[in-house]
Amino acid sequence: MASTIFHNSTAAEDPGTAFKLLLSCPSGLPPSRVSVDFGRSFDRIPHPDVILESSIKEIWDQRLLKNPSLYNGTKFRYGGFSLSNSRTVRADYSICLHLGLTDYRTFVGTNLNPLWENFLVSSDDDTVKCQHMANPLGNGAIVETSDKKILVLQRSHNVGEFPGYYVFPGGHSEPQEIGISSHLTNTDSSGQAALNDAVSKEMFDGIVREVVEEIGVPADSLTEPEFIGVSQRVVNVRPTAFFFVRCNLDSTKIHELYSKAQDGYESTQLFAVPMEELERMALRMPGCHCGGFALYKSMTNI
């Protein structure tokens, strides 16, 4: 089912683990069934409250004072989705992701703002509700090993968000990887179509890159990712796109490779676990990753 929003009812004792599913594709969609509509119409709308809006710069400046090495990178902004090639959800449906541009500075100043809830609009439509949020679209991978284990990382205690929590490998697809630093002007229809295709490809290339960098496995050991949906952490309304990927290496070999992973500093330990243990670990995941587990569980229940 691709158009129903699901709400989490667990983890009342830890609000950071609460989530809802914005989009669920339990059959798993290949790149040929996931397209992108990329444009400035899906960018963030500034908040009309001038004082609240000015807090974005204030918070960023405070962060810079504490950590001058912070980099304000450009990110893809999640602006919703639509069904393609069908008026109803069918077995052969396709999904079109609506993406704009945002940056890390605005993410820190809206989603991570202590007053983040003040940026929200009262609406049942998530795109309207979050129109003043940066909402960079993160990504996460459910990686299944050849011995049928799922890979989970434990975050370092030195990271800013959810230190020590369990997470799936992931990060963000990057506009810079395909040469995007801002929106183009005067793009004709063929140019826009090519741009949409490039962004769509980066959605899939980006998650492979994250798995390779964080886990240390070679790219050719991974199958083509399947898109399984978008989850949203209730706290900070942060969205994450999830993918299912198989690795042709067993968990023992993957543990060996992890020790040499390029981005290993963000995590302290790699786990390869069966479903029963994964279910327990999911209780100690940030909400967007709890949602990733729910998407995977829906996939396994087909």
Side-chain angles (χ1 to χ4, degrees), residues 138-180:
N139 61 22
I142 313 298
V143 182
E144 183 183 82
T145 66
S146 65
D147 50 344
K148 304 301 180 183
K149 304 288 180 63
I150 299 298
L151 300 182
V152 177
L153 295 166
Q154 184 167 29
R155 286 174 65 78
S156 165
H157 287 277
N158 297 321
V159 296
E161 287 188 90
F162 293 91
Y165 277 61
Y166 299 119
V167 292
F168 297 109
H172 296 85
S173 287
E174 302 289 353
Q176 296 93 329
E177 288 288 333
I178 51 175
I180 295 176

Side-chain angles (χ1 to χ4, degrees), residues 106-118:
T106 312
F107 168 66
V108 169
T110 58
N111 294 81
L112 299 188
N113 192 317
L115 301 176
W116 65 272
E117 289 175 292
N118 292 358

Side-chain angles (χ1 to χ4, degrees), residues 268-289:
T268 58
Q269 195 169 353
L270 172 70
F271 300 86
V273 298
M275 175 64 87
E276 312 82 67
E277 190 171 349
L278 181 60
E279 192 142 18
R280 290 192 294 271
M281 296 175 88
L283 299 175
R284 183 64 177 169
M285 288 183 174
C288 42
H289 285 253

Side-chain angles (χ1 to χ4, degrees), residues 54-72:
S54 66
S55 70
I56 296 173
K57 181 180 185 302
E58 293 169 5
I59 288 175
W60 178 251
D61 289 346
Q62 291 168 10
R63 287 282 192 107
L64 278 179
L65 284 175
K66 295 179 181 178
N67 184 3
S69 65
L70 279 179
Y71 173 66
N72 182 27

Side-chain angles (χ1 to χ4, degrees), residues 117-145:
E117 289 175 292
N118 292 358
F119 282 94
L120 299 178
V121 175
S122 180
S123 175
D124 292 332
D125 183 334
D126 187 74
T127 59
V128 175
K129 178 182 178 180
C130 297
Q131 64 185 10
H132 303 307
M133 307 298 282
N135 273 18
L137 182 61
N139 61 22
I142 313 298
V143 182
E144 183 183 82
T145 66

